[in-house]
Amino acid sequence: MIHRWLEQRRDGVEQPPEEIAAFVAAATARELTDAQIGAWLAFVTVRGMTARETVALTLAMRDSGRVLDWEGIEGPRWDKHSTGGVGDKVSLVLAPLWAALGIRVPMISGRSLGITGGTLDKLESIPGFRTDLEAPRLRAILSEVGCFIVGQSADLAPADRLLYALRDETQTVPSVPLITASILSKKLAEGVEKLVLDVKYGSGAFMKDLAGARVLASSLEAVGGGAGLDVTAMLTPMDEPLGRAVGNALEVAEAEAALRGGGPDDLVDLVVRLSGHGDRARAALRDGSAWERWCAMVLAQGGDPAAPRLGQDALQCEELLADRDGVVARCDAGETGRAAFALGAGRARAGESVHPGVGLVLRRKVGEAVRRGEPLAAVYHAGRGRDEAFARMRSAFVVTDA
Ligand code: URA
């Protein structure tokens, strides 16, 4: 069979859904060699896949493991997914905000990789916070609190884990149908009805330009619809970091400020836009109801919302100062992400540890005036990567006359 599947893919012949399902089942059962799976992935990357084929791949990957069942828990079930950015702490605010609005949010999130931050690493800067809870506990939290944020258990879409690892080895990660099936299969396995996608483009995003982000967004909407999931994809820029904080504990603190009715405008505006609830969302951020759900979620997941955050010992804070008067024309998200990475806030390979405390706080954002000698950014470091972070932040900022 595998030789015919490979020939079909190599020659661009549309594969029937049942053959795609059989391929995914055989791959997950380890009946195929890595070379065979790698060739299949490479042919998909080069020749593409039709929407019908991508729907079949998505459903087969979903069905490679367990599909969470929330029967008996009332209310709509929504989730949000971001293609990743620098300073993107939206999930930390949006999950409790939706819960405050009566929406159930069984959120399964990821970890940092490269310059892209990961929600789980951010949450784990809260002492005691657990991201690996068992299904009965998740059900109780979803029912009582309305939201949780945990990691992906081994039995959820296992085909994605296998295929992703081989994509990583074979340079076939940047394929729109493969990304689409990877994201959507995990969300379908979570048992949600609606998915809001934040597809980012710019120097700090996986998609560098708007055209590429548009193609991915349309694929996610079309394939999501074909697989029975209501998907809304929004395109949002990632040329400068979102908010002012970049780094695990620093981002949690900024998300908490937003949950208490403060926080930076760009973060709050994006959260409100993604929430789909306009003024009601703003009210829930201001009246304490979203904050109350956040504290309940942190407690339910073993954390202490009031405890000092991890990684604060032996941290130093040094300011990067402007060397001229002017207005900030650019604060490059990619360079800022690389600066935080150099300090130890991110990881190069899955499984490495991250520093919970280090990172940056932007003292100026694009459009803000600065005078020579005033701070552009605060660098929180533990020694490691300090010089590289300063050099990168120096090149991230462009200050001009107007
Ligand atoms: N995120 C995913 O979950 N999968 C991909 O393939 C890319 C980004």
Side-chain angles (χ1 to χ4, degrees):
M1 262 327 224
I2 181 62
H3 294 112
R4 188 155 60 84
W5 295 334
L6 287 174
E7 272 168 25
Q8 287 168 331
R9 292 254 65 98
R10 184 196 61 200
D11 299 340
V13 176
E14 184 166 2
Q15 283 186 305
E18 55 284 3
E19 300 217 356
I20 291 179
F23 167 79
V24 172
T28 314
R30 307 304 325 229
E31 288 162 4
L32 307 178
T33 66
D34 286 357
Q36 289 167 330
I37 303 170
W40 192 93
L41 294 168
F43 291 141
V44 168
T45 302
V46 173
R47 301 211 62 135
M49 258 191 160
T50 65
R52 197 172 82 115
E53 287 178 306
T54 314
V55 170
L57 178 62
T58 305
L59 294 175
M61 286 167 65
R62 174 198 68 187
D63 295 337
S64 66
R66 176 158 164 227
V67 178
L68 299 180
D69 173 10
W70 305 112
E71 201 170 321
I73 298 182
E74 293 199 351
R77 288 185 305 275
W78 292 14
D79 193 8
K80 166 261 173 188
H81 177 83
S82 159
T83 55
V86 177
D88 183 356
K89 67 280 293 172
V90 166
S91 294
L92 303 177
V93 188
L94 189 53
L97 169 61
W98 269 338
L101 297 173
I103 296 161
R104 309 277 174 182
V105 192
M107 189 180 277
I108 295 181
S109 273
R111 294 194 176 276
S112 307
L113 197 58
I115 63 165
T116 299
T119 300
L120 301 182
D121 294 308
K122 295 171 197 181
L123 286 166
E124 284 173 357
S125 68
I126 302 172
F129 196 99
R130 288 192 47 199
T131 56
D132 61 343
L133 303 172
E134 299 295 327
R137 183 76 193 122
L138 295 181
R139 169 171 272 277
I141 300 175
L142 194 65
S143 170
E144 287 153 28
V145 177
C147 62
F148 60 72
I149 306 179
V150 291
Q152 187 183 344
S153 61
D155 56 357
L156 208 87
D160 178 57
R161 196 164 303 110
L162 169 72
L163 295 184
Y164 195 89
L166 292 173
R167 284 166 64 201
D168 200 25
E169 279 185 39
T170 54
Q171 297 301 309
T172 53
V173 170
S175 150
V176 168
L178 296 180
I179 298 171
T180 301
S182 167
I183 293 174
L184 294 179
S185 60
K186 287 176 285 199
K187 294 297 167 187
L188 284 160
E190 262 181 19
V192 291
E193 297 140 6
K194 181 175 169 75
L195 177 64
V196 178
L197 281 160
D198 183 3
V199 181
K200 301 214 171 279
Y201 61 93
S203 75
F206 166 64
M207 285 288 178
K208 301 294 173 216
D209 60 65
L210 180 57
R214 272 215 180 97
V215 172
L216 179 58
S218 331
S219 168
L220 286 160
E221 283 188 337
V223 173
L229 185 62
D230 175 3
V231 177
T232 306
M234 295 187 195
L235 297 163
T236 69
M238 182 33 75
D239 285 315
E240 76 167 330
L242 186 63
R244 291 182 186 270
V246 180
N248 299 302
L250 294 167
E251 292 192 41
V252 174
E254 188 167 79
E256 289 181 321
L259 284 158
R260 301 180 97 145
D265 289 347
D266 60 342
L267 170 63
V268 174
D269 289 349
L270 181 58
V271 167
V272 169
R273 189 174 153 214
L274 292 169
S275 79
H277 282 76
D279 291 344
R280 276 189 69 212
R282 282 190 195 276
L285 290 173
R286 278 196 294 255
D287 68 13
S289 53
W291 171 251
E292 191 265 326
R293 286 299 84 192
W294 161 260
C295 294
M297 180 186 83
V298 172
L299 276 172
Q301 293 195 228
D304 177 351
R309 301 298 145 85
L310 299 173
Q312 308 300 303
D313 301 342
L315 266 196
Q316 289 182 59
C317 176
E318 286 183 74
E319 305 273 357
L320 171 76
L321 305 179
D323 54 14
R324 55 163 294 175
D325 294 356
V327 173
V328 175
R330 185 165 177 81
C331 171
D332 187 79
E335 274 301 87
T336 309
R338 284 185 278 279
F341 180 84
L343 297 173
R347 62 172 65 75
R349 299 235 136 248
E352 289 174 6
S353 62
V354 299
H355 194 299
V358 297
L360 305 132
V361 175
L362 306 178
R363 302 286 194 218
R364 295 290 189 285
K365 297 244 323 173
V366 171
E368 293 177 354
V370 67
R371 299 191 75 91
R372 183 188 163 92
E374 286 181 347
L376 288 170
V379 181
Y380 290 83
H381 66 90
R384 170 181 158 191
R386 181 251 177 228
D387 292 350
E388 180 179 340
F390 264 84
R392 290 198 180 278
M393 290 315 290
R394 177 75 57 208
S395 77
F397 276 101
V398 177
V399 178
T400 57
D401 290 335

